[in-house]
Amino acid sequence: MTPPVVELSDVGRVYDSDPPVHALRDVNLRVSTGDYLAVVGASGSGKSSLLNILGLLDRPDSGTYLLDGVDTTRLDDGQRTALRGSKIGFVFQSFHLLPYRSAAENVAMAELYRRGDRTQRARRAEATLDRVGLAHRVGFRPDRLSGGERQRVAIARALLGEPALLLCDEPTGNLDRANTEAVLDLFDDLKEQGVTLIVITHDDDVSRRAERRISIEDGRLSEESG
Ligand code: ADP
Ligand code: MG
């Protein structure tokens, strides 16, 4: 049996401020391969704290986090960085594309520091752009793309290494309705392709499209059924 992609057990996170802030309390979450879930919550509810832990950018103060069966709480920083690079693709609200590079170069950038053949990498970058519906935009620079297309380039970049988990933080936060729809349609396609997706959002139209909806309030998770 394959382990869940994500397994959080009794995870807590307390910021060491004065007074201390309990940002996450007793968080339990299992995400299986191919799940598509949205995390919703008001500002200050703990969404970023959860994302930082899921993305191995921060460590829980209590509990355990298994990623693809690996107990990340036992790893040192170097091992966590390596695991993050191989297992997690990140997508952010602002696309973080390099302005003077083509879409294909921006995607290939994901593996800049990896060994491997350049032509091979360029070919895979183009194939990944095709996968997000942008085969006709490979040579375009970001300033010639719409907002939705820019976000799809950023998603292609995140997918290049075939991550076990795609973590998206307010991916449609900078997009108008039409471009939001295009990105949500892409998420549906990725879900069909078996990609595991976690989308953090405060937009109900976005969370409604996910298969599972988790809400977070004062650091506690609850899953909406149905
Ligand atoms: P959200 O992303 O949902 O807005 P956060 O995870 O950023 O929520 O924050 C959860 C709680 O933790 C809030 O009360 C916030 O003020 C607090 N918090 C976040 N980061 C820190 C930090 N580095 N130090 C102290 N408190 C923090
Ligand atoms: Mg936040």
Side-chain angles (χ1 to χ4, degrees):
M1 231 188 68
T2 53
V5 178
V6 165
E7 190 163 19
L8 297 175
S9 307
D10 298 324
V11 162
R13 180 72 176 99
V14 184
Y15 294 112
D16 205 5
S17 46
D18 185 23
V21 176
H22 284 259
L24 296 173
R25 306 167 188 260
D26 303 320
V27 168
N28 290 288
L29 180 66
R30 268 171 90 95
V31 179
S32 302
T33 303
D35 278 1
Y36 173 11
L37 62 95
V39 177
V40 293
S43 177
S45 58
K47 299 184 300 295
S48 295
S49 301
L50 178 65
L51 181 105
N52 290 340
I53 285 180
L54 289 171
L56 298 174
L57 301 166
D58 191 19
R59 291 172 181 273
D61 294 300
S62 52
T64 54
Y65 172 22
L66 273 58
L67 173 61
D68 239 7
V70 176
D71 184 354
T72 66
T73 23
R74 292 170 175 275
L75 303 179
D76 65 31
D77 287 347
Q79 292 169 317
R80 288 162 53 87
T81 302
L83 193 66
R84 184 190 313 127
S86 67
K87 299 280 186 193
I88 299 178
F90 289 96
V91 175
F92 301 101
Q93 177 169 350
S94 42
F95 325 116
H96 299 301
L97 299 177
L98 296 174
Y100 300 109
R101 303 283 180 171
S102 69
E105 287 170 326
N106 267 284
V107 172
M109 219 42 95
E111 293 190 346
L112 191 61
Y113 302 105
R114 258 188 228 174
R115 253 187 290 243
D117 183 69
R118 268 188 68 178
T119 326
Q120 196 64 17
R121 183 154 57 211
R123 208 169 293 140
R124 283 200 304 115
E126 291 183 19
T128 311
L129 281 169
D130 187 23
R131 198 173 158 193
V132 302
L134 292 180
H136 58 307
R137 294 284 186 263
V138 290
F140 283 48
R141 287 183 184 175
D143 63 355
R144 296 186 54 210
L145 301 173
S146 70
E149 287 174 334
R150 289 180 202 174
Q151 189 59 299
R152 281 146 70 196
V153 171
I155 292 167
R157 182 183 54 197
L159 288 170
L160 188 68
E162 298 285 341
L165 175 64
L166 194 63
L167 265 184
C168 309
D169 190 8
E170 296 285 358
T172 61
N174 280 341
L175 302 179
D176 62 19
R177 274 295 128 200
N179 280 305
T180 294
E181 283 300 314
V183 166
L184 294 177
D185 288 344
L186 172 59
F187 285 163
D188 288 345
D189 291 346
L190 295 178
K191 153 82 193 161
E192 289 300 312
Q193 295 170 24
V195 174
T196 308
L197 276 159
I198 299 182
V199 177
I200 292 193
T201 182
H202 65 263
D203 183 340
D204 288 336
D205 288 342
V206 173
S207 66
R208 250 196 298 275
R209 294 277 290 263
E211 245 185 343
R212 295 175 59 189
R213 261 204 308 278
I214 311 284
S215 55
I216 179 164
E217 201 180 328
D218 204 13
R220 293 182 199 277
L221 296 198
S222 55
E223 180 150 7
E224 295 172 24
S225 52

